[in-house]
C-alpha cells in the first residue's frame, strides 16, 4: 500500500520532469509511433507472401505484436530508466542514497523513477491488439481475456525480474555491461517463438524466457489457455520475483560503495 | 589525396586502439547489430520454407550490416553536444576525418567480432555462395558502406540545430530496417512497391550487395542497382556538404 | 544505554588487481588476483545519546568506511555494531527512518531536475512525516539554514554551498536521532562553514541527536565536539576529550611573551624559539617546566604581556598523522 503511494508519487514527479523537455517529448512520441508502425509493416510484408507464420495467422501475429509492444512499453516506462547502465550508478554512489532510504532498496533502485511517455507505447500496443482481433474477426471469450491478463502479468513480472537480475550482475562483474544485449534478445519477442528453429526456441522459452512476454499471453488470448499452463505461468512469474530478491540481497552484501 | 589517405589510416589505427579499451562493449554492440538480420532469417525461413536463397541472402546481409554500421549519432552528435567538435574544427585537415576514422575502426571491430557468428551460421543454415556473384557484390558493398556513412553523418549533423539528433538518426535507421532489405528482402516486396523499394537509397545502403551475393538478380538488375547507388551517393554527398556548411556557419556564429 | 556501540568492527575490501596490457587482461579472465585492503581493523567504541563526537584521522584511515557500515550501506567483514539498538546493515525500516548520513562530497541524491521543495516532499513521503510536523520542521530548518529562495530552484543549478544547505534540510526534515556527517564542510567558503557549524550545534542541542562527524578541518572539530575518536590505518589511536588529546600528543605548550625594552639577547635559555620579532617571542616549553619558566621570565625581564597556550590543533594533528601517536 505504502509502496503504491510511493509509486504514484514517483510517477507524478517523473511526469513533471519529462514535461519540462517539450522537444524530447514530441520526438519520443514520434519515434514510438514509427517503431510500432514499422513493426506492423514488416509483419504485413511477410503475410503478402504466406498465410501462416509458424502456425500463426495474420490477425494472431498482430495480437502478438501488440502484446509485445505493451510489455515493451512497460519496460521502457517503469524499469529501464532505473536500471540502465546500472554498473555506472553503482560506482557513482547513486546506490548509496537508495540504501539510506527506509524503503526496500530493490524497489527504489528498480522502480524509483520512470519515463511516463513510454506509456504511449502501451496504449499503441493495446490498439494493435484490438486491430489484430478485428482482423481475426473474433471477440475474445471472457476466459481468454482473463488468461491473457494473467499471462501478461506473469510476463511483466518475468521482465522486471530478468532486467533487475541483469543489472545486479554489476555487483559481481561491474565491467560487464549487457544492457545492449538484453535489448537485442528482447527483439525476439516480436514474433511467435514457433518461427525459430528448435534449440533457439527452447532457449527462448526456458533460458531467456522471451516466450512468456509475448507468445504465451497472445496465445492465451487468441486460442485460450489450459489451466496447467496458466498455473505454470503464474508459478514462474512468482518464482522469478523471489529469485531476484534473493540475488539482489546477495549482491548488496558484496557491495563496496566506492565513494569518498 | 595521398596525404588524406595517410591521415585517415592514422586515425583509423588510433581509434581502433581506443576501441580496444572497451572491446567487451563492442561485443554487445555487434550482437545487437546482428539481431535484425537473424530475425529476418528466422522469420522468412519459417514463412517460405524450402525457398532457396533466403539463408544466403540473410547471411550476406549480416556481413553487409556489420561492415556498414554507423554510430555517428554517438560519435559526432555527442561530440557536438559536449563541445569536443570545436577541437575537430581546429585540426588543419578535413573535419570529417576523425569521425570517418572512428567509423571505419568500428566497422573493422564489428567484422572481427562477428566472424565466429558468421562462420557458425554458414555451417548451420547452409549458404551457397558462388565466386562470380561474391566478386560482383564487393564494389556494391563498398558503395553501400560509403552511402550509409554519408547518410548517417548528414543526419547526425542535425545536432548542430537540435538536441534531438539521436531520434533523428534513429528514424533514419528505422527506414533502413524497413525499406533497406532487413525486414524483408526487396525481391519479396509486394509487386506494386517493389520498383520503389529498388530505387530508394535504403536498399543501396544495405540490401543490394546481399541481393547480388545471393544470386537473386539478373545482369540488368545488377547494373540498374549500381546506377542507383552511384546516383544516391552523389546526391547524399552533396546534401551532406550543404548541411555541413550551413551547420558550421551556425555553430561558429552561436558558439556551440 | 549508548546510542552507538561498536565492537571489533572490521572491513576488508577485496579489490581485483589488474595489470595493463592485453595478455594480463586475458589472464585475469581465467584467474583473478585480489588485493586485500584492510580499511577498518577491529575498532571498538561507544557513543552516548546526544553526544557529538569528532571522528578524525588522515586520508584513507577508514572514516568513511566506518560511517558507511554504521549507516547500513556496507556489510562489515567482521565484528558487531548497534546503533539505537539496531544492527545497521540489516537495514530495517525503523532504523533507516531514525538516521541520516550526509556526505559533503555529494550532499544531495535524486534527480537533479527536481526543485528542492519537490525533493523535500518526496522525503516526507518516504520517511512518513506527518504534514504538520513537516511544516514545523521545515520552518525551523528554513530559519537556521536560510532556505527561503532555494526551495523553488532546481537542484542541478545549485552551488556547492547551496547544495549542502539543501542536503542538510533534506536529511533533517524527518528529525533523525543519529547523524553521520562525512566531511560536511568540504569545499565551502568561510561563512558557509560557520553556518553549517552553528547549525549542527543547534540541531544537536535542540533535538538531542547523536552526531558522529568527520572532518579535516580541526576548527569544525574544536567548535562542535568535546570528544574525539582518532582513527589511523583502520585502528583507533585515541578516544577521549579534545584537550586530553593535545596534552597526550604534544608534551609542549606555547608561551608568548612581549617585553618593553626590546633588548633581550638570548631567548633560547628559556625555551625553544618558535617565532620572534623585536619585543615579541613565542617559546615552546615542556609542560612540566611551564611554571618555572614563566616565573623566571617575569622575574628577569620587564614583561608587558604573557600568555600560555595549547599548541594549535592543526599542528598537533599534523605531527600525529605523520608520526603516529607516541
Ligand atoms: N570500494 C572500495 N574498494 C576498495 N578499497 C576501498 C574502497 N573504499 C575505500 N577503500 C580503501 O579503504 C581505505 C579507507 O578508505 P576510507 O574512504 O574509509 O578513508 P577515509 O578515512 O574516509 O579517508 P578520506 O579522509 O580520504 O576521506 C582506503 O585505503 C581506501 O583506498
Ligand atoms: Mg572519507
Amino acid at each position: 500500500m505504502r509502496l503504491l503511494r510511493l509509486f504514484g508519487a514517483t510517477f507524478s514527479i517523473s511526469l513533471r520532469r519529462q514535461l519540462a523537455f517539450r522537444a524530447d517529448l514530441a520526438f519520443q512520441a514520434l519515434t514510438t509511433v514509427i517503431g510500432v508502425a514499422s513493426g506492423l509493416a514488416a509483419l504485413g510484408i511477410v503475410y503478402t507472401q504466406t498465410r501462416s507464420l509458424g502456425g500463426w495467422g495474420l490477425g494472431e501475429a498482430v495480437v502478438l505484436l501488440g502484446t509485445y509492444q505493451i510489455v515493451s512499453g512497460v519496460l521502457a516506462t517503469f524499469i529501464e530508466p532505473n536500471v540502465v547502465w546500472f554498473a555506472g550508478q553503482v560506482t557513482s554512489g547513486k546506490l548509496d542514497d537508495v540504501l539510506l532510504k527506509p524503503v526496500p532498496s530493490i524497489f527504489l533502485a528498480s522502480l524509483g523513477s520512470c519515463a511516463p511517455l513510454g506509456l504511449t507505447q502501451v496504449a499503441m500496443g493495446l490498439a494493435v491488439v484490438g486491430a489484430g482481433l478485428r482482423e481475426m474477426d473474433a471477440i475474445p471469450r471472457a476466459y481468454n481475456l482473463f488468461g491473457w491478463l494473467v499471462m501478461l502479468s506473469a510476463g511483466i513480472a518475468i521482465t522486471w525480474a530478468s532486467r533487475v537480475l541483469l543489472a545486479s550482475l554489476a555487483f559481481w562483474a561491474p565491467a560487464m555491461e549487457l544492457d545492449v544485449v538484453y535489448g537485442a534478445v528482447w527483439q525476439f519477442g516480436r514474433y511467435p517463438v514457433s518461427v525459430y528453429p528448435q534449440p533457439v526456441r527452447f532457449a527462448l522459452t526456458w533460458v531467456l524466457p522471451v516466450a512468456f512476454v509475448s507468445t504465451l499471453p497472445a496465445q492465451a488470448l487468441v486460442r485460450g489457455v489450459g489451466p496447467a499452463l496458466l498455473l505454470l505461468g503464474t508459478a514462474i512469474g512468482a518464482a522469478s520475483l523471489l529469485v531476484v530478491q534473493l540475488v539482489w540481497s546477495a549482491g548488496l552484501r558484496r557491495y563496496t560503495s566506492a565513494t569518498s | 589525396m595521398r596525404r588524406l589517405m595517410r591521415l585517415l589510416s592514422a586515425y583509423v589505427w588510433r581509434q581502433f586502439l581506443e576501441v580496444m579499451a572497451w572491446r567487451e562493449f563492442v561485443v554487445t554492440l555487434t550482437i545487437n547489430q546482428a539481431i535484425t538480420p537473424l530475425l529476418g532469417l528466422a522469420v522468412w525461413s519459417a514463412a517460405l520454407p524450402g525457398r532457396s536463397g533466403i539463408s544466403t541472402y540473410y547471411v550476406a546481409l549480416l556481413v553487409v550490416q556489420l561492415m556498414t554500421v554507423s554510430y555517428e549519432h554517438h560519435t559526432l552528435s555527442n561530440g557536438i553536444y559536449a563541445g569536443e567538435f570545436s577541437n575537430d574544427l581546429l585540426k588543419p585537415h578535413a573535419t570529417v576525418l576523425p569521425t570517418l576514422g572512428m567509423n571505419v575502426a568500428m566497422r573493422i571491430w564489428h567484422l572481427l567480432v562477428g566472424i565466429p557468428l558468421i562462420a557458425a551460421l554458414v555451417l548451420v543454415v547452409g549458404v551457397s555462395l558462388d565466386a562470380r556473384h561474391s566478386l560482383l557484390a564487393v564494389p556494391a558493398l563498398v558503395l553501400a558502406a560509403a552511402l550509409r556513412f554519408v547518410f548517417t553523418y548528414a543526419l547526425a549533423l542535425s545536432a548542430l540545430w537540435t538536441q534531438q539528433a539521436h531520434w533523428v538518426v534513429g528514424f533514419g535507421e528505422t527506414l533502413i530496417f524497413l525499406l533497406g532489405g532487413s525486414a524483408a528482402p526487396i525481391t519479396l516486396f509486394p509487386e506494386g512497391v517493389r520498383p520503389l523499394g529498388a530505387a530508394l537509397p535504403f536498399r543501396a545502403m544495405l540490401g543490394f550487395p546481399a541481393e547480388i551475393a545471393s544470386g537473386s538478380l539478373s545482369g540488368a538488375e545488377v547494373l540498374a542497382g549500381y546506377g542507383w547507388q552511384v546516383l544516391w551517393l552523389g546526391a547524399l554527398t552533396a546534401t551532406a556538404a550543404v548541411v555541413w556548411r550551413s551547420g558550421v556557419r551556425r555553430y561558429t556564429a552561436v558558439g556551440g | 544505554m549508548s546510542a552507538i556501540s561498536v565492537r571489533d568492527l572490521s572491513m576488508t575490501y577485496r579489490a581485483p588487481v589488474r595489470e595493463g596490457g592485453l595478455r594480463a587482461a586475458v589472464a585475469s579472465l581465467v584467474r583473478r588476483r585480489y588485493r586485500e585492503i584492510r580499511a577498518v581493523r577491529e575498532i571498538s567504541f561507544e557513543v552516548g545519546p546526544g553526544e557529538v563526537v569528532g571522528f578524525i584521522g588522515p586520508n584513507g584511515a577508514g572514516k568513511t568506511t566506518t560511517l558507511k557500515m554504521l549507516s547500513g550501506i556496507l556489510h562489515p567483514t567482521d565484528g558487531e555494531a548497534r546503533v539505537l539498538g539496531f544492527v545497521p546493515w540489516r537495514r530495517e525500516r525503523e532504523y533507516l527512518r531514525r538516521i541520516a548520513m550526509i556526505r559533503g562530497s555529494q550532499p544531495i541524491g535524486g534527480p537533479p531536475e527536481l526543485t528542492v521543495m519537490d525533493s523535500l516532499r518526496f522525503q516526507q513521503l518516504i520517511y512518513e512525516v506527518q504534514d504538520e510536523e513537516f511544516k514545523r520542521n521545515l520552518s525551523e530548518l528554513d530559519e537556521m539554514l536560510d532556505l527561503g529562495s532555494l526551495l523553488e530552484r532546481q537542484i542541478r543549478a545549485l552551488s556547492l554551498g547551496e547544495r549542502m544547505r539543501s542536503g542538510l534540510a533534506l536529511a533533517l526534515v524527518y528529525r533523525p536521532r543519529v547523524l553521520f556527517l562525512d566531511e560536511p564542510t568540504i569545499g565551502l567558503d568561510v561563512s558557509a562553514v560557520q553556518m553549517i557549524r552553528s547549525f549542527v550545534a543547534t540541531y544537536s542541542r535542540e533535538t538531542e541527536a547523536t552526531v558522529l562527524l568527520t572532518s579535516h578541518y580541526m576548527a569544525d572539530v574544536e567548535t562542535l565536539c568535546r570528544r574525539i575518536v582518532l582513527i589511523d590505518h583502520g585502528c583507533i589511536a585515541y578516544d577521549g576529550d579534545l584537550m586530553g588529546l593535545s596534552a597526550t600528543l604534544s608534551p609542549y605548550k606555547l608561551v608568548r611573551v612581549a617585553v618593553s625594552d626590546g633588548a633581550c639577547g638570548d631567548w633560547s635559555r628559556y625555551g625553544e624559539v618558535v617565532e620572534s620579532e623585536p619585543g615579541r617571542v613565542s617559546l615552546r616549553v615542556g609542560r612540566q617546566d611551564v611554571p618555572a619558566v614563566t616565573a623566571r621570565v617575569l622575574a628577569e625581564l620587564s614583561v608587558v604581556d604573557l600568555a600560555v597556550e595549547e599548541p594549535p590543533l592543526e599542528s598537533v594533528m599534523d605531527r600525529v598523522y605523520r608520526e603516529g601517536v607516541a
Side-chain angles (χ1 to χ4, degrees):
Chain A
M1 196 47 228
R2 180 160 161 271
L3 287 187
L4 266 181
R5 274 226 323 276
L6 206 60
F7 197 63
T10 57
F11 188 82
S12 96
I13 287 178
S14 308
L15 190 64
R16 262 178 291 155
R17 254 170 86 197
Q18 208 160 47
L19 287 175
F21 299 96
R22 293 273 163 67
D24 256 2
L25 224 81
F27 273 94
Q28 199 180 335
L30 192 69
T31 313
T32 309
V33 173
I34 292 169
V36 174
S38 80
L40 274 176
L43 209 56
I45 301 175
V46 174
Y47 280 92
T48 59
Q49 300 285 334
T50 178
R51 306 197 46 170
S52 147
L53 182 60
W56 292 61
L58 173 60
E60 295 174 322
V62 171
V63 168
L64 186 148
L65 186 64
T67 308
Y68 167 79
Q69 301 287 7
I70 293 174
V71 187
S72 300
V74 171
L75 177 66
T77 309
F78 299 108
I79 307 170
E80 198 71 36
N82 297 290
V83 290
V84 72
W85 307 130
F86 191 70
Q89 293 185 32
V90 169
T91 43
S92 76
K94 203 171 153 191
L95 196 61
D96 282 7
D97 291 320
V98 166
L99 290 177
L100 285 170
K101 300 265 154 65
V103 176
S105 60
I106 191 171
F107 171 82
L108 216 53
S110 69
L111 298 165
S113 72
C114 55
L117 231 102
L119 287 179
T120 47
Q121 196 176 0
V122 176
M124 294 199 57
L126 280 170
V128 171
V129 169
L133 290 173
R134 256 190 79 131
E135 163 70 30
M136 289 168 58
D137 221 357
I139 295 166
R141 301 210 324 268
Y143 175 71
N144 286 10
L145 210 54
F146 167 76
W148 180 68
L149 284 176
V150 172
M151 293 306 274
L152 195 62
S153 315
I156 290 173
I158 291 171
T159 301
W160 176 72
S162 59
R163 190 64 189 82
V164 174
L165 218 53
L166 191 80
S168 327
L169 218 62
F171 291 123
W172 285 270
M176 206 138 86
E177 298 200 283
L178 295 180
D179 298 43
V180 179
V181 175
Y182 189 88
V185 172
W186 185 254
Q187 302 285 330
F188 282 109
R190 291 176 172 273
Y191 300 100
V193 280
S194 51
V195 306
Y196 306 113
Q198 197 28 267
V200 180
R201 187 189 309 174
F202 180 83
L204 289 178
T205 312
W206 302 113
V207 187
L208 309 161
V210 171
F212 282 89
V213 168
S214 54
T215 304
L216 293 179
Q219 198 170 331
L221 185 59
V222 299
R223 297 180 192 161
V225 54
L229 195 56
L230 208 57
L231 267 175
L232 185 70
T234 318
I236 291 183
S240 64
L241 296 186
L242 200 71
V243 167
V244 74
Q245 301 269 2
L246 292 177
V247 172
W248 178 262
S249 33
L252 279 189
R253 292 187 65 94
R254 291 186 48 100
Y255 175 58
T256 61
S257 141
T259 49
S260 65
Chain B
M1 196 62 199
R2 281 264 304 282
R3 185 179 112 87
L4 217 59
M5 288 318 286
R6 262 219 325 277
L7 278 173
L8 180 60
S9 46
Y11 269 115
V12 171
W13 178 237
R14 247 175 73 121
Q15 317 280 39
F16 184 83
L17 291 181
E18 191 192 317
V19 175
M20 174 100 82
W22 30 276
R23 53 192 178 274
E24 290 94 351
F25 188 61
V26 178
V27 175
T28 69
L29 288 181
T30 309
I31 294 173
N32 189 42
Q33 291 292 340
I35 284 296
T36 43
L38 289 178
L39 273 178
L41 176 63
V43 168
W44 283 99
S45 304
L48 305 173
R51 171 81 69 104
S52 72
I54 291 272
S55 34
T56 309
Y57 172 81
Y58 272 108
V59 174
L61 192 85
L62 172 62
V63 177
V64 180
Q65 173 96 348
L66 294 183
M67 294 195 66
T68 59
V69 288
S70 291
Y71 293 105
E72 276 63 53
H73 46 316
H74 294 291
T75 56
L76 177 66
S77 307
N78 281 357
I80 292 173
Y81 296 144
E84 289 151 20
F85 185 60
S86 309
N87 297 345
D88 290 355
L89 281 177
L90 287 175
K91 300 265 164 62
H93 56 61
T95 317
V96 68
L97 275 181
T99 316
L100 183 57
M102 188 57 163
N103 178 284
V104 175
M106 283 301 273
R107 288 171 176 181
I108 296 175
W109 267 108
H110 276 70
L111 191 66
L112 283 179
V113 174
I115 283 174
L117 177 65
I118 296 167
L121 276 179
V122 169
L123 287 180
V124 173
V125 300
V127 167
S128 52
L129 274 178
D130 78 55
R132 200 173 62 91
H133 286 140
S134 316
L135 272 180
L136 256 180
V138 170
L141 177 59
V142 174
L143 283 171
L147 203 50
R148 173 85 184 261
F149 171 73
V150 175
F151 179 69
T152 313
Y153 189 80
L155 292 184
L157 278 176
S158 64
L160 290 168
W161 286 270
T162 113
Q163 290 289 319
Q164 316 294 333
H166 286 249
W167 303 121
V168 175
V169 175
F171 180 55
E173 284 184 342
T174 306
L175 288 179
I176 295 176
F177 160 76
L178 195 60
L179 301 171
S182 191
I186 309 292
T187 46
L188 293 175
F189 271 23
E191 215 62 71
V193 287
R194 205 177 299 161
L196 182 71
L200 286 175
F202 309 110
R203 175 211 187 210
M205 288 176 212
L206 187 61
F208 179 56
E211 285 170 29
I212 305 180
S214 63
S216 44
L217 297 182
S218 68
E221 285 171 322
V222 173
L223 218 56
Y226 269 114
W228 284 120
Q229 272 194 315
V230 173
L231 196 78
W232 281 117
L233 188 58
L236 284 180
T237 310
T239 315
V242 172
V243 172
W244 154 259
R245 217 162 293 142
S246 60
V248 167
R249 201 173 312 130
R250 187 188 137 89
Y251 184 80
T252 45
V254 185
Chain C
M1 194 192 102
S2 47
I4 303 176
S5 121
V6 174
R7 189 130 42 84
D8 297 331
L9 195 64
S10 305
M11 180 73 202
T12 305
Y13 292 109
R14 253 157 63 93
V17 183
R18 265 245 204 171
E19 284 132 54
L22 190 61
R23 240 187 68 201
V26 173
S28 79
L29 287 180
V30 188
R31 198 174 39 129
R32 280 259 157 105
R33 290 203 297 123
Y34 289 94
R35 192 163 47 104
E36 303 221 318
I37 301 169
R38 297 179 60 197
V40 173
R41 314 177 186 197
E42 301 184 355
I43 60 169
S44 307
F45 61 89
E46 310 261 328
V47 180
E51 240 187 312
V52 180
V53 174
F55 193 49
I56 56 176
N59 287 130
K63 303 180 295 293
T64 302
T65 305
T66 307
L67 291 196
K68 280 179 181 169
M69 288 190 282
L70 292 181
S71 57
I73 294 177
L74 286 181
H75 281 254
T77 36
D78 212 358
E80 294 172 34
R82 292 269 187 295
V83 182
L84 302 173
F86 295 89
V87 176
W89 44 92
R90 287 207 191 123
R91 305 192 45 258
E92 284 157 78
R93 186 162 133 205
E94 286 310 313
Y95 175 61
L96 293 173
R97 281 183 56 187
R98 286 175 171 77
I99 63 155
M101 159 104 162
I102 303 169
R103 295 170 293 162
S105 55
Q106 210 172 13
I108 311 187
E113 289 87 7
L114 294 187
T115 65
V116 177
M117 193 61 199
D118 285 338
S119 307
L120 279 166
R121 286 282 176 195
F122 192 63
Q123 291 291 86
Q124 180 192 2
L125 187 73
I126 285 191
Y127 287 91
E128 300 169 88
V129 186
Q130 298 303 316
D131 248 334
E132 269 165 51
E133 199 190 335
F134 178 79
K135 288 209 187 87
R136 199 171 55 238
N137 293 350
L138 186 57
S139 75
E140 277 177 30
L141 288 169
D142 184 12
E143 198 173 302
M144 289 191 273
L145 290 169
D146 189 19
L147 296 173
S149 60
L150 294 182
L151 289 178
E152 296 309 320
R153 303 230 335 249
Q154 283 192 339
I155 288 168
R156 68 150 140 229
L158 298 181
S159 77
L160 188 61
E162 291 166 340
R163 253 166 222 259
M164 190 66 221
R165 271 148 62 201
S166 318
L168 279 171
L170 286 173
L172 302 184
V173 75
Y174 57 89
R175 293 272 152 147
R177 307 293 311 131
V178 176
L179 251 59
F180 301 108
L181 302 175
D182 195 6
E183 305 191 32
T185 53
I186 193 166
L188 300 185
D189 72 25
V190 192
S191 55
V193 167
Q194 297 284 9
M195 178 186 242
I196 304 288
R197 276 183 204 150
S198 72
F199 173 74
V200 172
T202 317
Y203 182 85
S204 67
R205 195 174 54 240
E206 287 184 358
T207 63
E208 294 179 348
T210 309
V211 180
L212 193 56
L213 162 118
T214 82
S215 177
H216 288 298
Y217 302 114
M218 286 310 133
D220 288 349
V221 181
E222 278 173 300
T223 44
L224 289 173
C225 317
R226 302 234 333 260
R227 170 179 164 204
I228 62 167
V229 172
L230 176 75
I231 183 171
D232 190 12
H233 290 101
C235 302
I236 290 192
Y238 176 84
D239 181 351
D241 74 24
L242 193 57
M243 290 293 117
L245 179 70
S246 25
T248 28
L249 294 184
S250 162
Y252 299 100
K253 287 199 174 197
L254 277 185
V255 178
R256 289 181 197 281
V257 188
V259 287
S260 60
D261 46 10
C264 177
D266 190 14
W267 283 106
S268 59
R269 54 202 159 105
Y270 300 109
E272 188 188 332
V273 179
V274 181
E275 50 186 60
S276 78
E277 47 187 287
R280 225 168 243 287
V281 75
S282 303
L283 298 171
R284 193 149 85 158
V285 178
R287 264 171 208 281
Q288 66 278 28
D289 302 334
V290 168
V293 170
T294 45
R296 265 173 63 204
V297 169
L298 288 171
E300 295 169 14
L301 303 168
S302 55
V303 173
V304 180
D305 190 20
L306 183 140
V308 180
E309 292 170 5
E310 289 288 337
L313 193 56
E314 303 273 352
S315 65
V316 176
M317 294 319 297
D318 174 49
R319 272 196 42 201
V320 175
Y321 287 178
R322 277 187 290 126
E323 297 160 20
V325 180

